[in-house]
Amino acid sequence: DIVGFSKISLELSPIKVMNMLQDLFNRFDNLCDVHGVMKLETIGDAYLCATNLLEDDDGDEDVVRDAAIRALGMAKDMICEARNAIIPYHDKSGRSFDDCTLQIRVGIHVGDITCGVLGQRVPKFTTCGTAVNMAARMEQTSKPSMIRATQDFHD
């Protein structure tokens, strides 16, 4: 997620918020192609992606290790790309914050997830499971511009 997003969104017009998110998420979409990562969804200012989602690794350690390395590379590059995105706003005194860049928090975990398309009126691709929850907890407790990974990921 974006550090300080609530404050940023209070200061910006809705269109500027959406343009900023579009710019950032386009950058992340491009990184998915570079790292062989699958974007799953965006939830507000959060970007959820996964590696090895559609492949059957059969417990092959080399495949799992490769997926973890790609996920970590993606996470590192996401932090760098966030720094390249500009916050387009001014404070109440009129001082420009155009030179301020975004910071994100990143959480990583490894494990099985459940996913699929749910709903009839507005079908939505949805993910759930312990692995998704653990990654979210890692992100929520990560420091700005840092990656927090579980011990399972590290091992």
Side-chain angles (χ1 to χ4, degrees), residues 38-116:
M38 183 176 184
K39 174 186 177 179
L40 300 179
E41 64 180 318
T42 57
I43 309 157
D45 64 317
Y47 188 97
L48 181 64
C49 54
T51 57
N52 222 29
L53 186 63
L54 302 177
E55 296 88 22
D56 187 10
D57 60 40
D58 291 327
D60 183 334
E61 288 186 23
D62 290 335
V63 173
V64 173
R65 186 177 299 109
D66 175 68
I69 290 168
R70 287 185 287 128
L72 186 58
M74 173 78 176
K76 289 177 179 179
D77 285 351
M78 289 173 79
I79 290 170
C80 291
E81 281 300 324
R83 289 182 184 139
N84 292 329
I86 303 297
I87 303 171
Y89 76 98
H90 302 78
D91 69 9
K92 291 184 172 44
S93 68
R95 186 171 58 109
S96 174
F97 282 85
D98 288 339
D99 58 346
C100 293
T101 59
L102 293 174
Q103 290 186 328
I104 61 170
R105 294 181 191 87
V106 179
I108 299 181
H109 181 63
V110 62
D112 295 331
I113 65 171
T114 301
C115 59

Side-chain angles (χ1 to χ4, degrees), residues 1-2 5 17-18 21 24-25 28-29 39-49 78 105 124-128 132-133 135-136 139-140:
D1 77 333
I2 298 172
F5 181 73
V17 171
M18 294 308 292
L21 289 175
L24 183 64
F25 292 164
F28 292 171
D29 288 348
K39 174 186 177 179
L40 300 179
E41 64 180 318
T42 57
I43 309 157
D45 64 317
Y47 188 97
L48 181 64
C49 54
M78 289 173 79
R105 294 181 191 87
K124 183 175 187 262
F125 186 78
T126 303
T127 58
C128 57
V132 175
N133 294 339
E139 171 267 315
Q140 292 163 358

